[in-house]
Amino acid sequence: MIKEKDGIHLELGEKVVADSRKAVGDINIVSHAHFDHLHRGETEVVCSAETAGIGSVRSGKEIEFSEDHNSVELLPSGHIIGSRAALIEDDKSILYTGDVSTRDRFYLEGFEPVNADILVVETTYGVPAYSFPSQEEIIDEITGWVQDNEKPLLLFGYSLGKAQKIQHHVQEATDRPLLAHGSVIEMNHAVEKSTDLEFRAKPYEGNKDLFKEEGILVAPPGSRKAEWVKRLENKKEVLTAGFSGWAVNNSMGYSRYDRAFPLSDHCGFDELVELVEKVDPERVYTHHGFDEAFASYLRKELGIHARALKKNQATLEEF
Ligand SMILES: [Zn+2]
């Protein structure tokens, strides 16, 4: 039986729970260190060392973990540093993707799909409108925009994951002063501890003057509510940019930036279809985003048994 409750619950020989805020399973998997996937308990979890390291910084307490379990194999899922999919061996093999991207980006290698009988896949961008340009095209656009606009630039991306990719790219594209919001600096340090990556951004606090001189500031989208960020955004010489898959058609508020780039940490629609084809499962369960639409596409176009996981329902027997 499989359920979406708080995270994904699999009633197998042992109870396997993935990405739940409460680690209530016999086996508890944490796919990555984004807050919606990080559990708050004391129980030992199955996750990567990077997720445990970054997660400990975020939650303020040491995360007890192991990187495998006799029936669970973790596979790099290409979403953010340390993110993992899980291949669970029971009577049938079950692949849980967590958040996933199959494209190589910056310092991350894309997820390599493996065969499984049952696939549980996130479908954030599960409709054809969200197929993304090639990585080269996206990077060329970002580079061109940064180099053509010698003004203070305010770039918005989530503090863990997107913000590091934006900085990595800006560091390659220009020598201009690079600054970051406090929460981004904190995540930079956590990432630097678990990897050999280095970020040259200085904290905005204490270095404000550098921003005025064609500086580039990276901040999380949530910081737009803060007065000091609003004041910066409202200065007429400052240009803003957002980075997300939603930028493909300026949905989810991405029209409110001066520029928006479709730089995503998730699979686009066509990449999701390719992932499913490579896993070649008997059954697919979708969750997040366009879950119903994508399940319907798989049934109608590819003849695959597929359905969306809805909160507190769905069992294997219901097929
Ligand atoms: Zn995530």
Short mmCIF file of all heavy atoms in Angstrom, two decimals, residues 2-4 8 119-121 123 283-299 304-315 318-319:
data_model
loop_
_atom_site.label_atom_id
_atom_site.label_comp_id
_atom_site.label_asym_id
_atom_site.label_seq_id
_atom_site.Cartn_x
_atom_site.Cartn_y
_atom_site.Cartn_z
N ILE A 2 0.41 2.24 -0.69
CA ILE A 2 1.17 3.49 -0.76
C ILE A 2 0.24 4.67 -0.50
O ILE A 2 -0.89 4.69 -0.97
CB ILE A 2 1.87 3.60 -2.14
CG1 ILE A 2 2.60 4.94 -2.27
CG2 ILE A 2 0.89 3.45 -3.28
CD1 ILE A 2 3.55 4.96 -3.42
N LYS A 3 0.71 5.62 0.23
CA LYS A 3 -0.13 6.76 0.63
C LYS A 3 0.68 8.03 0.58
O LYS A 3 1.87 8.00 0.89
CB LYS A 3 -0.54 6.60 2.09
CG LYS A 3 -1.80 5.88 2.36
CD LYS A 3 -2.05 6.02 3.84
CE LYS A 3 -3.20 5.13 4.29
NZ LYS A 3 -3.31 5.14 5.75
N GLU A 4 0.03 9.13 0.26
CA GLU A 4 0.66 10.41 0.53
C GLU A 4 -0.04 10.99 1.75
O GLU A 4 -1.25 11.16 1.76
CB GLU A 4 0.54 11.38 -0.64
CG GLU A 4 1.28 12.67 -0.32
CD GLU A 4 1.25 13.70 -1.43
OE1 GLU A 4 0.22 13.77 -2.13
OE2 GLU A 4 2.23 14.43 -1.56
N ILE A 8 5.61 10.40 1.84
CA ILE A 8 5.12 9.20 1.17
C ILE A 8 5.26 8.01 2.12
O ILE A 8 6.33 7.79 2.68
CB ILE A 8 5.94 8.92 -0.12
CG1 ILE A 8 5.87 10.13 -1.07
CG2 ILE A 8 5.47 7.64 -0.80
CD1 ILE A 8 4.51 10.39 -1.68
N LEU A 119 7.00 3.16 -9.88
CA LEU A 119 7.69 4.45 -9.84
C LEU A 119 6.82 5.46 -9.10
O LEU A 119 5.64 5.63 -9.42
CB LEU A 119 7.94 4.95 -11.27
CG LEU A 119 8.44 6.38 -11.43
CD1 LEU A 119 9.83 6.56 -10.82
CD2 LEU A 119 8.47 6.78 -12.91
N VAL A 120 7.38 6.10 -8.10
CA VAL A 120 6.71 7.21 -7.41
C VAL A 120 7.48 8.46 -7.78
O VAL A 120 8.65 8.61 -7.40
CB VAL A 120 6.73 7.00 -5.88
CG1 VAL A 120 5.95 8.12 -5.19
CG2 VAL A 120 6.15 5.64 -5.50
N VAL A 121 6.85 9.35 -8.57
CA VAL A 121 7.62 10.44 -9.18
C VAL A 121 6.98 11.80 -8.87
O VAL A 121 5.76 11.94 -8.88
CB VAL A 121 7.75 10.20 -10.71
CG1 VAL A 121 6.40 10.22 -11.41
CG2 VAL A 121 8.70 11.21 -11.35
N THR A 123 5.90 15.47 -9.88
CA THR A 123 5.47 15.97 -11.20
C THR A 123 5.20 17.47 -11.15
O THR A 123 4.22 17.95 -11.71
CB THR A 123 4.21 15.21 -11.66
OG1 THR A 123 3.27 15.18 -10.56
CG2 THR A 123 4.54 13.80 -12.07
N ARG A 283 3.67 0.39 -12.96
CA ARG A 283 2.75 1.39 -12.41
C ARG A 283 3.49 2.64 -12.01
O ARG A 283 4.64 2.57 -11.57
CB ARG A 283 2.07 0.84 -11.15
CG ARG A 283 1.04 -0.20 -11.49
CD ARG A 283 0.56 -0.89 -10.26
NE ARG A 283 -0.39 -1.91 -10.67
CZ ARG A 283 -1.09 -2.65 -9.85
NH1 ARG A 283 -0.95 -2.48 -8.55
NH2 ARG A 283 -1.93 -3.54 -10.30
N VAL A 284 2.79 3.77 -12.15
CA VAL A 284 3.38 5.05 -11.77
C VAL A 284 2.44 5.78 -10.82
O VAL A 284 1.22 5.84 -11.07
CB VAL A 284 3.63 5.93 -13.02
CG1 VAL A 284 4.20 7.29 -12.62
CG2 VAL A 284 4.57 5.25 -14.00
N TYR A 285 2.98 6.29 -9.76
CA TYR A 285 2.24 7.17 -8.86
C TYR A 285 2.86 8.56 -8.95
O TYR A 285 4.08 8.70 -8.80
CB TYR A 285 2.31 6.69 -7.41
CG TYR A 285 1.62 5.38 -7.17
CD1 TYR A 285 2.31 4.19 -7.23
CD2 TYR A 285 0.25 5.35 -6.89
CE1 TYR A 285 1.68 2.98 -7.01
CE2 TYR A 285 -0.39 4.14 -6.66
CZ TYR A 285 0.32 2.96 -6.73
OH TYR A 285 -0.32 1.77 -6.51
N THR A 286 2.03 9.56 -9.20
CA THR A 286 2.54 10.93 -9.33
C THR A 286 2.16 11.73 -8.09
O THR A 286 1.14 11.47 -7.46
CB THR A 286 1.94 11.61 -10.57
OG1 THR A 286 0.51 11.65 -10.43
CG2 THR A 286 2.30 10.87 -11.84
N HIS A 287 3.00 12.69 -7.76
CA HIS A 287 2.64 13.60 -6.66
C HIS A 287 3.32 14.95 -6.89
O HIS A 287 4.31 15.04 -7.60
CB HIS A 287 3.01 13.02 -5.28
CG HIS A 287 4.48 12.84 -5.07
ND1 HIS A 287 5.22 13.68 -4.27
CD2 HIS A 287 5.35 11.91 -5.55
CE1 HIS A 287 6.48 13.27 -4.27
NE2 HIS A 287 6.58 12.21 -5.03
N HIS A 288 2.73 15.97 -6.32
CA HIS A 288 3.18 17.37 -6.45
C HIS A 288 2.83 17.94 -7.83
O HIS A 288 2.88 17.23 -8.83
CB HIS A 288 4.68 17.53 -6.19
CG HIS A 288 5.00 17.62 -4.73
ND1 HIS A 288 5.16 16.50 -3.96
CD2 HIS A 288 5.18 18.69 -3.91
CE1 HIS A 288 5.43 16.87 -2.72
NE2 HIS A 288 5.44 18.19 -2.66
N GLY A 289 2.52 19.23 -7.85
CA GLY A 289 2.31 19.97 -9.11
C GLY A 289 1.20 19.37 -9.96
O GLY A 289 0.12 19.06 -9.47
N PHE A 290 1.51 19.15 -11.24
CA PHE A 290 0.50 18.67 -12.20
C PHE A 290 0.39 17.14 -12.13
O PHE A 290 0.55 16.45 -13.14
CB PHE A 290 0.86 19.14 -13.60
CG PHE A 290 0.80 20.64 -13.77
CD1 PHE A 290 1.97 21.40 -13.80
CD2 PHE A 290 -0.42 21.29 -13.88
CE1 PHE A 290 1.91 22.78 -13.95
CE2 PHE A 290 -0.49 22.67 -14.03
CZ PHE A 290 0.68 23.42 -14.06
N ASP A 291 0.10 16.62 -10.94
CA ASP A 291 0.08 15.17 -10.74
C ASP A 291 -1.02 14.48 -11.53
O ASP A 291 -0.78 13.46 -12.19
CB ASP A 291 0.00 14.82 -9.24
CG ASP A 291 -1.10 15.59 -8.50
OD1 ASP A 291 -1.78 16.42 -9.13
OD2 ASP A 291 -1.27 15.35 -7.29
N GLU A 292 -2.25 15.05 -11.50
CA GLU A 292 -3.39 14.43 -12.23
C GLU A 292 -3.15 14.48 -13.73
O GLU A 292 -3.37 13.49 -14.43
CB GLU A 292 -4.69 15.21 -11.93
CG GLU A 292 -5.14 15.17 -10.50
CD GLU A 292 -5.92 13.90 -10.16
OE1 GLU A 292 -5.98 12.99 -11.02
OE2 GLU A 292 -6.44 13.82 -9.04
N ALA A 293 -2.73 15.63 -14.23
CA ALA A 293 -2.54 15.81 -15.67
C ALA A 293 -1.46 14.86 -16.19
O ALA A 293 -1.61 14.26 -17.26
CB ALA A 293 -2.17 17.26 -15.98
N PHE A 294 -0.39 14.71 -15.42
CA PHE A 294 0.70 13.86 -15.90
C PHE A 294 0.29 12.39 -15.86
O PHE A 294 0.58 11.64 -16.79
CB PHE A 294 1.98 14.10 -15.07
CG PHE A 294 3.19 13.46 -15.68
CD1 PHE A 294 3.74 13.98 -16.84
CD2 PHE A 294 3.77 12.33 -15.12
CE1 PHE A 294 4.86 13.40 -17.44
CE2 PHE A 294 4.89 11.73 -15.70
CZ PHE A 294 5.44 12.27 -16.86
N ALA A 295 -0.42 11.98 -14.81
CA ALA A 295 -0.89 10.59 -14.73
C ALA A 295 -1.83 10.31 -15.91
O ALA A 295 -1.75 9.26 -16.55
CB ALA A 295 -1.60 10.34 -13.40
N SER A 296 -2.68 11.26 -16.22
CA SER A 296 -3.62 11.10 -17.33
C SER A 296 -2.86 10.99 -18.67
O SER A 296 -3.19 10.15 -19.52
CB SER A 296 -4.58 12.30 -17.31
OG SER A 296 -5.17 12.46 -18.55
N TYR A 297 -1.82 11.80 -18.83
CA TYR A 297 -1.00 11.72 -20.05
C TYR A 297 -0.38 10.32 -20.18
O TYR A 297 -0.40 9.72 -21.27
CB TYR A 297 0.10 12.80 -20.02
CG TYR A 297 1.05 12.72 -21.18
CD1 TYR A 297 0.79 13.42 -22.37
CD2 TYR A 297 2.20 11.92 -21.13
CE1 TYR A 297 1.66 13.32 -23.45
CE2 TYR A 297 3.06 11.82 -22.21
CZ TYR A 297 2.79 12.53 -23.37
OH TYR A 297 3.64 12.42 -24.44
N LEU A 298 0.17 9.81 -19.07
CA LEU A 298 0.82 8.48 -19.12
C LEU A 298 -0.19 7.39 -19.50
O LEU A 298 0.11 6.49 -20.28
CB LEU A 298 1.46 8.14 -17.77
CG LEU A 298 2.65 8.98 -17.33
CD1 LEU A 298 3.17 8.50 -15.98
CD2 LEU A 298 3.78 8.97 -18.36
N ARG A 299 -1.42 7.49 -18.95
CA ARG A 299 -2.45 6.48 -19.26
C ARG A 299 -2.84 6.57 -20.73
O ARG A 299 -2.85 5.57 -21.44
CB ARG A 299 -3.69 6.69 -18.38
CG ARG A 299 -3.51 6.31 -16.92
CD ARG A 299 -4.87 6.24 -16.21
NE ARG A 299 -5.63 7.49 -16.30
CZ ARG A 299 -5.55 8.48 -15.40
NH1 ARG A 299 -4.75 8.38 -14.35
NH2 ARG A 299 -6.27 9.57 -15.56
N ILE A 304 0.34 3.48 -19.80
CA ILE A 304 0.93 3.03 -18.52
C ILE A 304 -0.10 3.22 -17.42
O ILE A 304 -0.79 4.25 -17.37
CB ILE A 304 2.21 3.86 -18.20
CG1 ILE A 304 3.28 3.61 -19.26
CG2 ILE A 304 2.74 3.53 -16.81
CD1 ILE A 304 4.51 4.49 -19.12
N HIS A 305 -0.22 2.23 -16.52
CA HIS A 305 -1.07 2.39 -15.34
C HIS A 305 -0.50 3.52 -14.51
O HIS A 305 0.61 3.39 -13.99
CB HIS A 305 -1.08 1.13 -14.49
CG HIS A 305 -1.78 -0.02 -15.13
ND1 HIS A 305 -3.14 -0.07 -15.26
CD2 HIS A 305 -1.29 -1.15 -15.68
CE1 HIS A 305 -3.47 -1.19 -15.87
NE2 HIS A 305 -2.38 -1.86 -16.14
N ALA A 306 -1.23 4.59 -14.38
CA ALA A 306 -0.70 5.73 -13.61
C ALA A 306 -1.83 6.43 -12.90
O ALA A 306 -2.94 6.52 -13.40
CB ALA A 306 0.00 6.71 -14.56
N ARG A 307 -1.54 6.89 -11.70
CA ARG A 307 -2.52 7.71 -11.00
C ARG A 307 -1.83 8.66 -10.04
O ARG A 307 -0.70 8.43 -9.62
CB ARG A 307 -3.54 6.85 -10.26
CG ARG A 307 -2.93 6.01 -9.17
CD ARG A 307 -3.99 5.24 -8.46
NE ARG A 307 -4.84 6.13 -7.69
CZ ARG A 307 -5.97 5.77 -7.11
NH1 ARG A 307 -6.41 4.55 -7.25
NH2 ARG A 307 -6.67 6.62 -6.40
N ALA A 308 -2.57 9.73 -9.74
CA ALA A 308 -2.03 10.72 -8.81
C ALA A 308 -2.24 10.24 -7.39
O ALA A 308 -3.28 9.68 -7.07
CB ALA A 308 -2.73 12.06 -9.03
N LEU A 309 -1.25 10.46 -6.55
CA LEU A 309 -1.39 10.15 -5.12
C LEU A 309 -2.07 11.32 -4.47
O LEU A 309 -1.56 12.43 -4.49
CB LEU A 309 0.00 10.00 -4.48
CG LEU A 309 0.70 8.68 -4.59
CD1 LEU A 309 2.04 8.79 -3.88
CD2 LEU A 309 -0.12 7.56 -3.99
N LYS A 310 -3.22 11.04 -3.89
CA LYS A 310 -3.91 12.11 -3.18
C LYS A 310 -3.74 11.88 -1.69
O LYS A 310 -3.62 10.76 -1.25
CB LYS A 310 -5.39 12.14 -3.58
CG LYS A 310 -5.59 12.72 -4.96
CD LYS A 310 -5.20 14.18 -4.96
CE LYS A 310 -4.97 14.69 -6.39
NZ LYS A 310 -4.19 15.92 -6.43
N LYS A 311 -3.80 12.96 -0.96
CA LYS A 311 -3.59 12.85 0.50
C LYS A 311 -4.50 11.79 1.09
O LYS A 311 -5.69 11.76 0.82
CB LYS A 311 -3.92 14.19 1.16
CG LYS A 311 -2.89 15.26 0.85
CD LYS A 311 -1.98 15.54 2.03
CE LYS A 311 -0.98 16.62 1.69
NZ LYS A 311 0.41 16.21 1.71
N ASN A 312 -3.92 10.90 1.87
CA ASN A 312 -4.66 9.90 2.64
C ASN A 312 -5.48 8.93 1.81
O ASN A 312 -6.45 8.38 2.28
CB ASN A 312 -5.58 10.57 3.66
CG ASN A 312 -4.75 11.25 4.73
OD1 ASN A 312 -3.74 10.71 5.18
ND2 ASN A 312 -5.14 12.46 5.09
N GLN A 313 -5.16 8.74 0.55
CA GLN A 313 -5.79 7.66 -0.19
C GLN A 313 -4.82 7.03 -1.17
O GLN A 313 -3.64 7.35 -1.15
CB GLN A 313 -7.07 8.13 -0.89
CG GLN A 313 -6.90 9.41 -1.67
CD GLN A 313 -8.09 9.64 -2.58
OE1 GLN A 313 -8.39 8.81 -3.42
NE2 GLN A 313 -8.75 10.76 -2.43
N ALA A 314 -5.30 6.11 -1.95
CA ALA A 314 -4.53 5.38 -2.95
C ALA A 314 -3.81 4.18 -2.36
O ALA A 314 -2.98 4.30 -1.48
CB ALA A 314 -3.52 6.26 -3.66
N THR A 315 -4.17 3.03 -2.85
CA THR A 315 -3.47 1.81 -2.48
C THR A 315 -3.16 1.07 -3.75
O THR A 315 -3.75 1.33 -4.79
CB THR A 315 -4.34 0.89 -1.60
OG1 THR A 315 -5.45 0.46 -2.38
CG2 THR A 315 -4.81 1.59 -0.36
N GLU A 318 -6.19 -0.55 -5.27
CA GLU A 318 -7.23 0.26 -5.90
C GLU A 318 -7.08 0.35 -7.42
O GLU A 318 -7.91 0.91 -8.10
CB GLU A 318 -7.21 1.69 -5.33
CG GLU A 318 -7.92 1.81 -4.00
CD GLU A 318 -7.75 3.19 -3.40
OE1 GLU A 318 -7.88 4.17 -4.16
OE2 GLU A 318 -7.47 3.28 -2.21
N PHE A 319 -5.99 -0.15 -7.95
CA PHE A 319 -5.80 -0.07 -9.40
C PHE A 319 -6.85 -0.87 -10.14
O PHE A 319 -7.18 -1.96 -9.73
CB PHE A 319 -4.40 -0.58 -9.78
CG PHE A 319 -3.49 0.54 -10.09
CD1 PHE A 319 -2.62 1.02 -9.15
CD2 PHE A 319 -3.56 1.17 -11.33
CE1 PHE A 319 -1.79 2.07 -9.44
CE2 PHE A 319 -2.74 2.22 -11.62
CZ PHE A 319 -1.84 2.69 -10.66
#
